[in-house]
Amino acid sequence: MKQIVFKFLAIGLILSSCSSSHDNYSVLSPSGNIKVDFALTSEKQPSYSVSFNGKELIKPSTLGFEFKNMEPLGKNLKVDSVRTREFNEQWEMPWGEQRYVTNHYNELKVFLSEKNEPKRHFSVVFRAFDDGIGFRYEFPKQENMDSVIITDENTQFNLTGNHMCWWGPGDWDIYEHLYSTTRFSKIDATKKRNHPDLAQTYIPENAVNTPVTMKTDDGVYLSFHEAAVTNYAGITLKVDTANYAMQTELVGNSAGIKVKTQTPFTSPWRTVQIATRAGDLIESKLILNLNEPNKLGDVSWFKPTKYVGIWWEMHLGKSSWDLASGKHGATTANAKRYIDFAAKNNIHGLLVEGWNTGWEHWIGFDDREGVFDFVTPYPDYNLKEVVAYGRKKGVDLIMHHETSAAPRTYEKQLDTAYALMSSLGIHVVKTGYVGKIIPKGEYHHGQWMVNHYRHVLETAAKYKIAVDAHEPFMATGERRTYPNAISREGLRGQEYNAWASDGGNPPEHLTIVPFTRMLAGPIDFTPGIFDIKLKPYKPNNQVNTTLAQQLALYVVIYSPVQMAADLPENYENNPAFQFIRDVGVNWEQTKVLNGEIGDYVTIARQERGTNRWFVGAVTDENARELNVKLDFLDAGKKYAATLYLDAPDADWNKNPTAYEIKKMEVDSNTELNLKLAPGGGAAISLFPL
Ligand code: NOJ
Ligand code: CA
């Protein structure tokens, strides 16, 4: 991989972008649209504020820490010095939504120390980009601060008003909640506790998970998250609904410990993405830019891929993961059937779940330690034979490791499990962490698990294995540093439509996800269900979109592994399947053509290496007409367009599978008028002629 194409670095005082007086310092983004002001309060506590296009966007907000083994840190500080620099580089993604990423910011580093004993010192580093800001704490090695037990990181975000918010409850274990759309003052996360379909959930107070996205009454879009979480706990944001204020509430454990570490250490970046167009949040690469460059070097052994799976049939109840059920899905013969189907249809991956012993003790068991075995197939599944059969046909296996949230059992077997994969030439594993974490008292999003997930990534990399984690810790841009972190779940995925007792994901779900969860990173959503009513397996459940929207999701939702999730028999002889055959999975460029959070979004992506473009548009429960200009196409070139559209009478509930296919010749002057049905969508392929 060509790592750095162009790089410019200047250290020193940048007069145009940083100014100071007494204890006040500021830094401007490269274009000057965003300004961060730093100050010490009257109590000599560090505080920052942010303005956007000359208007205050984050009001003065204080910073500080509380510890188990030390006095709090935050007041009575002095500024020892400041350092500023400009940084500008372009880096290349080994796979991704686009090939090149610009990373351009101005940085202000404020060195602080306590005026009195114990005279601890640290710095706060602010980076101002044109699409938002990031800041973090850096603690050097020092005499009076060695081992550190953080009980609270008190980073505030004071908002300027009662913004409209798209939020999910601040759960320490799982992100699989529906998003709520409310004014800030109406956030009530604790009401979302104990959803009947969730195996675990812990929400100690009124807090939201990140990314959380907002819109001000002036039409400014904001999204709060974090970047580069390493040996630290994840955040939730505690909300003070009366004062429009938020503060970090780190995910802890039952011993009240949030982070246990040692100097020197740095916190993750606290991030605020800022935009005047909702779609710019999706195009922003701020979170990736705040992560370190690729540490793995060449990862061309991972190839972005579409895949099918012995998977949906389990969620439908047609077959089962465990052998004892008498309807075991992962048999050699069934795997070969899927391979034959994939090979015929330009799909090069196959996930097989339920292949290994242990599933008889999966859900609802407390003694999950030592249950799953990641090298021993059930007797009716010949792993080697399946791998060889697939290889002959150009279909590679995606390995499956469900840990049932017993990470220690998994860690013990990591090397043997990955050595087996390596000996078979398998380069992708889907992991899973269903259930409450063992040991009890640890949570999926706490430091202990953050370290586990990282350990898995690093070990996998040694074996040239890429990881698609389900029940993960939220992505924080680590795929830049570890490009084997290819995808993850971390939301209410398609599976909820098969079995959720609340009717599944409502039609608006996928118009919120691109502006919230997707800002964190790639999503293994598993689109492409054609049998919307799930007949005959699930008479009381259904997918709450049209078939055309299922196609659009291959473009709207980004992942370098995209599943064709439905049963092969539901695709056979359906002309709409041509779109899934054709659609790309690795992109040269991405353009968000339009969108409003919770209403609709249209995204265009250009495939790497082919100059083909694909467009996806989705709407919520409302029918919509969207005018889409194809001005992103190469000027002067003609393209063969195939449009997969909702039929005029389509409707996510009453008539979800009614679609039309239209073909036409288009160019960069063409403007399309797309009519989307309630819960509908449109998918377009554009091949250069
Ligand atoms: C939950 C995952 O999200 C799903 O995809 C998988 O089939 C089950 N766990 C079993 O591992
Ligand atoms: Ca809506």
Side-chain angles (χ1 to χ4, degrees):
M1 191 188 73
K2 261 189 284 124
Q3 175 67 20
I4 287 167
V5 178
F6 153 73
K7 190 171 194 166
F8 168 67
L9 183 77
I11 299 184
L13 191 71
I14 300 151
L15 288 172
S16 59
S17 61
C18 169
S19 59
S20 66
S21 71
H22 306 292
D23 288 334
N24 300 330
Y25 300 90
S26 65
V27 61
L28 278 177
S29 66
S31 78
N33 62 337
I34 292 174
K35 182 165 174 248
V36 181
D37 284 296
F38 174 90
L40 286 180
T41 65
S42 55
E43 290 185 294
K44 300 296 171 194
Q45 182 168 15
S47 142
Y48 76 98
S49 58
V50 181
S51 61
F52 179 55
N53 292 335
K55 216 175 152 189
E56 186 172 57
L57 191 60
I58 307 277
K59 299 208 279 190
S61 302
T62 56
L63 311 171
F65 285 87
E66 288 167 44
F67 306 98
K68 186 164 184 175
N69 52 348
M70 277 184 285
E71 285 303 299
L73 177 65
K75 290 184 181 156
N76 226 356
L77 298 168
K78 62 181 172 53
V79 175
D80 292 326
S81 62
V82 299
R83 212 170 67 196
T84 62
R85 62 172 188 147
E86 180 181 8
F87 186 85
N88 190 354
E89 68 171 346
Q90 209 181 56
W91 56 279
E92 185 176 347
M93 298 176 94
W95 47 265
E97 304 93 315
Q98 63 200 60
R99 191 184 288 272
Y100 298 110
V101 177
T102 298
N103 180 17
H104 191 188
Y105 58 82
N106 288 322
E107 181 178 285
L108 166 69
K109 182 166 181 175
V110 186
F111 293 82
L112 296 155
S113 66
E114 289 178 300
K115 289 186 184 167
N116 307 322
E117 291 299 329
K119 298 200 169 171
R120 293 167 294 183
H121 53 278
F122 67 103
S123 36
V124 188
V125 183
F126 296 94
R127 289 188 182 168
F129 300 79
D130 288 335
D131 54 351
I133 65 150
F135 61 94
R136 74 173 178 191
Y137 307 93
E138 298 185 358
F139 288 86
K141 184 131 206 80
Q142 52 196 286
E143 219 171 278
N144 293 330
M145 203 176 175
D146 180 30
S147 81
V148 175
I149 296 174
I150 299 173
T151 51
D152 270 308
E153 178 197 309
N154 299 325
T155 301
Q156 293 185 339
F157 301 93
N158 289 325
L159 307 175
T160 52
N162 193 12
H163 306 329
M164 190 55 86
C165 301
W166 291 268
W167 58 273
D171 192 320
W172 289 12
D173 259 322
I174 208 151
Y175 307 102
E176 297 175 19
H177 298 275
L178 288 175
Y179 287 95
S180 296
T181 306
T182 71
R183 290 279 174 177
F184 188 84
S185 61
K186 294 280 188 269
I187 293 176
D188 188 357
T190 52
K191 280 221 181 95
K192 307 275 167 184
R193 211 192 304 235
N194 295 331
H195 190 283
D197 294 320
L198 295 178
Q200 74 277 48
T201 170
Y202 186 69
I203 306 172
E205 54 198 314
N206 199 11
V208 295
N209 270 335
T210 62
V212 57
T213 302
M214 306 183 183
K215 185 182 183 182
T216 71
D217 286 343
D218 298 338
V220 177
Y221 298 87
L222 284 169
S223 187
F224 299 84
H225 187 39
E226 56 182 336
V229 180
T230 303
N231 191 21
Y232 209 85
I235 46 169
T236 67
L237 293 172
K238 200 159 62 174
V239 299
D240 172 352
T241 49
N243 295 303
Y244 310 149
M246 302 193 288
Q247 183 167 308
T248 48
E249 176 68 52
L250 298 174
V251 174
N253 64 12
S254 56
I257 294 174
K258 305 274 173 73
V259 177
K260 202 169 166 181
T261 186
Q262 215 173 3
T263 57
F265 72 93
T266 58
S267 75
W269 295 95
R270 307 297 166 218
T271 63
V272 190
Q273 285 167 270
I274 302 168
T276 47
R277 228 175 52 106
D280 288 347
L281 293 175
I282 298 173
E283 290 185 11
S284 159
K285 291 290 162 279
L286 178 130
I287 287 164
L288 282 173
N289 280 333
L290 287 165
N291 278 264
E292 297 294 319
N294 181 352
K295 271 192 189 168
L296 303 184
D298 176 35
V299 291
S300 57
W301 42 263
F302 166 67
K303 305 244 180 308
T305 188
K306 286 174 273 190
Y307 70 102
V308 291
I310 302 185
W311 178 77
W312 189 236
E313 54 178 84
M314 282 94 147
H315 289 271
L316 291 177
K318 179 188 176 195
S319 71
S320 179
W321 287 271
D322 64 306
L323 185 66
S325 64
K327 46 175 190 174
H328 188 215
T331 65
T332 307
N334 201 21
K336 287 184 175 174
R337 182 173 73 97
Y338 276 83
I339 288 170
D340 289 340
F341 174 76
K344 265 196 320 207
N345 290 296
N346 189 28
I347 294 175
H348 301 287
L350 168 67
L351 167 76
V352 179
E353 296 202 354
W355 68 276
N356 59 325
T357 60
W359 289 91
E360 284 74 12
H361 268 72
W362 176 36
I363 276 184
F365 289 85
D366 252 356
D367 54 339
R368 283 168 283 129
E369 213 71 275
V371 164
F372 273 112
D373 176 321
F374 303 100
V375 293
T376 309
Y378 279 123
D380 57 348
Y381 181 71
N382 188 327
L383 173 62
K384 285 198 178 130
E385 192 181 326
V386 170
V387 169
Y389 188 80
R391 182 120 327 126
K392 222 171 52 198
K393 302 213 159 189
V395 179
D396 285 325
L397 221 58
I398 294 178
M399 187 43 99
H400 186 233
H401 293 161
E402 172 57 64
T403 69
S404 63
R408 292 180 302 200
T409 290
Y410 190 38
E411 285 182 14
K412 274 192 206 141
Q413 297 183 58
L414 274 187
D415 279 295
T416 44
Y418 293 167
L420 172 67
M421 287 177 60
S422 169
S423 74
L424 297 168
I426 301 174
H427 291 291
V428 180
V429 64
K430 170 180 170 181
T431 57
Y433 296 84
V434 171
K436 285 197 168 73
I437 297 291
I438 313 176
K440 272 206 178 101
E442 297 294 346
Y443 299 95
H444 282 74
H445 311 156
Q447 183 190 20
W448 193 82
M449 280 303 289
V450 164
N451 289 345
H452 166 78
Y453 291 114
R454 179 60 54 86
H455 175 60
V456 166
L457 267 187
E458 287 178 344
T459 312
K462 285 192 209 145
Y463 292 88
K464 300 196 163 122
I465 290 169
V467 181
D468 167 17
H470 280 232
E471 300 78 38
F473 174 61
M474 187 56 75
T476 64
E478 45 284 275
R479 67 180 157 133
R480 182 178 180 195
T481 316
Y482 300 94
N484 68 325
I486 49 170
S487 195
R488 63 189 87 192
E489 190 186 40
L491 85 170
R492 266 178 72 125
Q494 184 86 277
E495 60 186 23
Y496 273 78
N497 296 321
W499 39 250
S501 59
D502 63 4
N505 302 330
E508 69 163 11
H509 185 54
L510 291 161
T511 61
I512 301 176
V513 164
F515 301 98
T516 50
R517 163 65 184 85
M518 201 165 82
L519 304 184
I523 308 176
D524 190 26
F525 180 79
T526 67
I529 299 303
F530 277 16
D531 177 19
I532 301 282
K533 296 283 183 182
L534 313 179
K535 278 185 183 132
Y537 304 105
K538 289 283 181 150
N540 300 321
N541 297 82
Q542 71 169 74
V543 174
N544 301 314
T545 77
T546 66
L547 187 149
Q549 179 176 122
Q550 289 293 310
L551 298 179
L553 295 177
Y554 287 88
V555 188
V556 169
I557 293 183
Y558 172 66
S559 173
V561 284
Q562 281 286 34
M563 190 176 211
D566 211 342
L567 310 175
E569 54 268 37
N570 291 334
Y571 290 136
E572 296 284 8
N573 303 320
N574 192 324
F577 190 61
Q578 188 59 39
F579 185 78
I580 300 181
R581 273 187 207 110
D582 290 338
V583 68
V585 276
N586 196 22
W587 310 106
E588 184 71 30
Q589 301 182 61
T590 286
K591 292 185 189 296
V592 183
L593 305 181
N594 59 39
E596 279 302 336
I597 311 172
D599 295 340
Y600 63 95
V601 62
T602 306
I603 300 184
R605 303 193 196 263
Q606 183 187 33
E607 189 178 25
R608 286 197 196 183
T610 65
N611 201 25
R612 291 175 174 179
W613 283 85
F614 297 88
V615 178
V618 301
T619 178
D620 61 1
E621 68 283 2
N622 299 305
R624 234 172 264 280
E625 278 189 39
L626 298 173
N627 284 320
V628 171
K629 287 195 182 125
L630 303 184
D631 53 5
F632 50 83
L633 296 175
D634 283 350
K637 253 203 198 122
K638 295 275 178 210
Y639 292 77
T642 309
L643 291 78
Y644 303 78
L645 306 167
D646 290 321
D649 56 346
D651 176 281
W652 65 272
N653 192 24
K654 291 191 291 265
N655 195 13
T657 56
Y659 69 85
E660 288 175 346
I661 299 179
K662 283 192 182 144
K663 290 184 190 275
M664 60 174 94
E665 214 176 279
V666 299
D667 60 29
S668 61
N669 297 317
T670 308
E671 192 171 332
L672 299 172
N673 175 254
L674 302 176
K675 294 194 173 67
L676 276 53
I684 306 170
S685 62
L686 298 153
F687 292 4
L689 285 170

